[in-house]
């Protein structure tokens, strides 16, 4: 007897538990993936363990659907495109916490790292710099480039509107009177917190893949029907892969929340699919995370389908 879920009920989400070799992928994820392609809806699919892309390609061919590959070997994807410095910094905070930096006194350094990233991104925004994680890495870790950007910001003062001028004043005060007063030990601890997440974005392959320019792929295309595969095996990319998956996931969550708040936008159903989800859980109590998204995903018209080896 055929059993089905209406899309509204499917938005209550599906999770598949099972140990290694128990059939999560072959008996649950792959058959559901075929149905995802048949729905003519947008979808975000993660290939965490390196062999899922083969299944995606086969099932796409079987159903006559096309899909887009982003990241290394695919279209470029600026991970913070379209975000404010505040929102991008909140994404990074989830990554800092997931990296294990939030315990004990580490929580203080996480907060300082978030402030450093927020002000650095605002500096990039005000000067028309490289607003990407690679650009952020350079501003944080190159005093020469940071000073050049600050000088550029000050030289543009008369060109700014009132809000921009106040932002520039705030950024200047931060680097002069807060960041500029850090002693060597404090600066080392804050930079180490940031480096755990941002250092991979000094790698040429990841700069090319995830710090694209104006013509890189816009994840908002998923909301209007694109099927997007992120092909980034963790066996190869390890910590960098986890950071990238977390940032893409959080950007996808925020796009859905933004759409939900603006009812003039198409409210199409979209799918999120991931095998081995235990690798990229982000459960921060502050800001956007799995903890704050999935209990509201039904109203966002998101169908989550994930498998995991553990609770």
């Amino acid at each position: 007897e055929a059993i089905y879920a209406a899309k509204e009920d499917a938005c209550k989400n599906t999770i598949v538990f099972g140990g290694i070799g128990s059939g999560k992928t072959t008996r649950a994820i792959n058959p559901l993936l075929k149905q995802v392609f048949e729905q003519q809806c947008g979808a975000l699919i993660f290939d965490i363990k390196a062999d899922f892309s083969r299944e995606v390609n086969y099932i796409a061919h079987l159903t006559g659907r096309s899909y887009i590959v982003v990241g290394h070997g695919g279209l470029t994807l600026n991970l913070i495109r379209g975000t404010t410095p505040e929102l991008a910094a909140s994404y990074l905070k989830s990554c800092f916490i997931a990296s294990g930096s939030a315990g004990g006194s580490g929580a203080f350094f996480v907060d300082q790292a978030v402030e450093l990233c927020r002000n650095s991104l605002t500096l990039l925004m005000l000067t028309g710099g490289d607003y990407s994680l690679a650009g952020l890495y350079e501003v944080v870790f190159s005093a020469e480039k940071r000073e050049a950007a600050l000088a550029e910001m000050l030289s543009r003062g008369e060109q700014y509107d009132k809000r921009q001028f106040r932002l520039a004043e705030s950024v200047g005060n931060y680097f002069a009177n807060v960041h500029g007063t850090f002693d060597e030990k404090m600066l080392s601890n804050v930079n180490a917190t940031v480096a755990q997440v941002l250092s991979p974005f000094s790698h040429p392959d990841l700069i090319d893949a995830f710090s694209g320019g104006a013509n890189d792929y816009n994840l908002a295309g998923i909301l209007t029907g694109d099927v997007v595969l992120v092909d980034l095996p963790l066996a190869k990319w390890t910590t960098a892969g986890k950071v990238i998956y977390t940032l893409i996931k959080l950007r996808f969550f925020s796009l859905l929340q933004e759409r939900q708040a603006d009812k003039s936008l198409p409210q199409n159903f979209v799918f999120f699919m991931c095998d081995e989800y235990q690798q990229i859980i982000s459960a921060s109590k502050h800001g956007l995370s799995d903890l704050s998204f999935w209990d509201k995903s039904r109203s966002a018209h998101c169908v989550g389908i994930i498998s995991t080896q553990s609770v």
Side-chain angles (χ1 to χ4, degrees), residues 76-140:
T76 60
L77 177 67
N78 186 334
L79 294 167
I80 55 174
R81 170 180 174 156
T83 66
T84 63
E86 291 74 21
L87 184 57
S90 74
Y91 295 168
L92 292 169
K93 182 172 185 176
S94 291
C95 295
F96 296 149
I97 292 170
S99 70
S101 301
S105 61
F108 172 76
F109 296 121
V110 165
D111 289 340
Q112 295 302 316
V114 170
E115 278 301 291
L116 173 57
C117 290
R118 183 180 67 81
N119 280 279
S120 297
L121 287 167
T122 305
L123 178 60
L124 288 169
M125 181 184 69
L126 289 170
T127 57
D130 179 12
Y131 194 84
S132 69
L133 294 182
L136 175 59
Y137 178 88
E138 288 191 337
V139 168
V140 170

Side-chain angles (χ1 to χ4, degrees), residues 241-252:
K242 289 186 178 183
V243 169
I244 290 165
Y245 276 121
T246 299
L247 291 169
I248 294 174
K249 179 187 67 175
L250 294 176
R251 183 64 187 131
F252 176 69

Side-chain angles (χ1 to χ4, degrees), residues 28-308:
I29 293 296
N30 286 352
L32 288 170
L33 176 63
K34 179 174 180 290
Q35 294 182 52
V36 166
F37 273 105
E38 290 170 343
Q39 296 305 307
Q40 304 303 315
C41 294
L44 176 61
I45 303 167
F46 286 173
D47 182 15
I48 284 180
K49 61 178 186 177
D51 57 359
F52 199 36
S53 58
R54 182 179 64 248
E55 312 289 349
V56 171
N57 188 61
Y58 173 75
I59 292 171
H61 178 74
L62 199 64
T63 56
R65 289 289 304 273
S66 60
Y67 65 95
I68 296 164
V69 179
V70 299
H72 187 56
L75 298 182
T76 60
L77 177 67
N78 186 334
L79 294 167
I80 55 174
R81 170 180 174 156
T83 66
T84 63
E86 291 74 21
L87 184 57
S90 74
Y91 295 168
L92 292 169
K93 182 172 185 176
S94 291
C95 295
F96 296 149
I97 292 170
S99 70
S101 301
S105 61
F108 172 76
F109 296 121
V110 165
D111 289 340
Q112 295 302 316
V114 170
E115 278 301 291
L116 173 57
C117 290
R118 183 180 67 81
N119 280 279
S120 297
L121 287 167
T122 305
L123 178 60
L124 288 169
M125 181 184 69
L126 289 170
T127 57
D130 179 12
Y131 194 84
S132 69
L133 294 182
L136 175 59
Y137 178 88
E138 288 191 337
V139 168
V140 170
F141 293 103
S142 170
E144 182 181 352
K145 293 193 175 181
R146 183 169 60 251
E147 291 303 320
L150 285 166
E152 171 69 16
M153 182 183 73
L154 292 174
S155 72
R156 293 189 180 195
E158 293 182 357
Q159 303 172 29
Y160 292 145
D161 60 28
K162 185 176 180 180
R163 180 177 180 275
Q164 289 173 323
F165 185 84
R166 291 174 66 188
L167 282 172
E169 192 174 49
S170 174
V171 169
N173 284 337
Y174 169 80
F175 281 107
N177 301 321
V178 180
H179 186 267
T181 64
F182 288 171
D183 61 27
E184 187 175 338
K185 182 177 180 182
M186 176 72 167
L187 187 61
S188 176
N189 283 322
V190 173
N191 282 351
T193 302
V194 177
Q196 288 186 80
V197 171
L198 286 189
S199 59
F201 298 96
S202 61
H203 190 292
D205 289 346
L206 294 183
I207 292 173
D208 292 344
F210 295 105
S211 297
N215 297 318
D216 66 333
Y217 180 72
N218 187 345
L219 277 178
I222 296 170
L223 306 183
T224 55
D226 287 352
V227 176
V228 173
L229 171 68
V230 184
D231 186 6
L232 201 71
L234 292 189
K236 177 179 180 181
W237 294 104
T238 59
T239 301
K242 289 186 178 183
V243 169
I244 290 165
Y245 276 121
T246 299
L247 291 169
I248 294 174
K249 179 187 67 175
L250 294 176
R251 183 64 187 131
F252 176 69
F253 287 174
S254 65
L255 283 170
L256 286 169
Q257 288 191 340
E258 291 163 14
R259 182 185 72 163
Q260 189 180 359
D262 185 355
K263 298 303 182 184
S264 66
L265 297 174
Q267 301 294 310
N268 307 338
F269 286 87
V270 295
F271 289 83
F272 174 87
M273 191 164 226
C274 179
D275 206 355
E276 306 294 338
Y277 196 66
Q278 73 276 357
Q279 300 272 17
I280 58 163
I281 290 287
S282 51
S284 168
K285 294 180 181 178
H286 308 285
L288 197 58
S289 71
D290 293 282
L291 203 62
S292 62
F293 177 76
W294 288 112
D295 61 340
K296 304 177 186 69
S297 60
R298 186 185 184 198
S299 55
H301 283 179
C302 178
V303 181
I305 303 172
I306 67 173
S307 75
T308 176

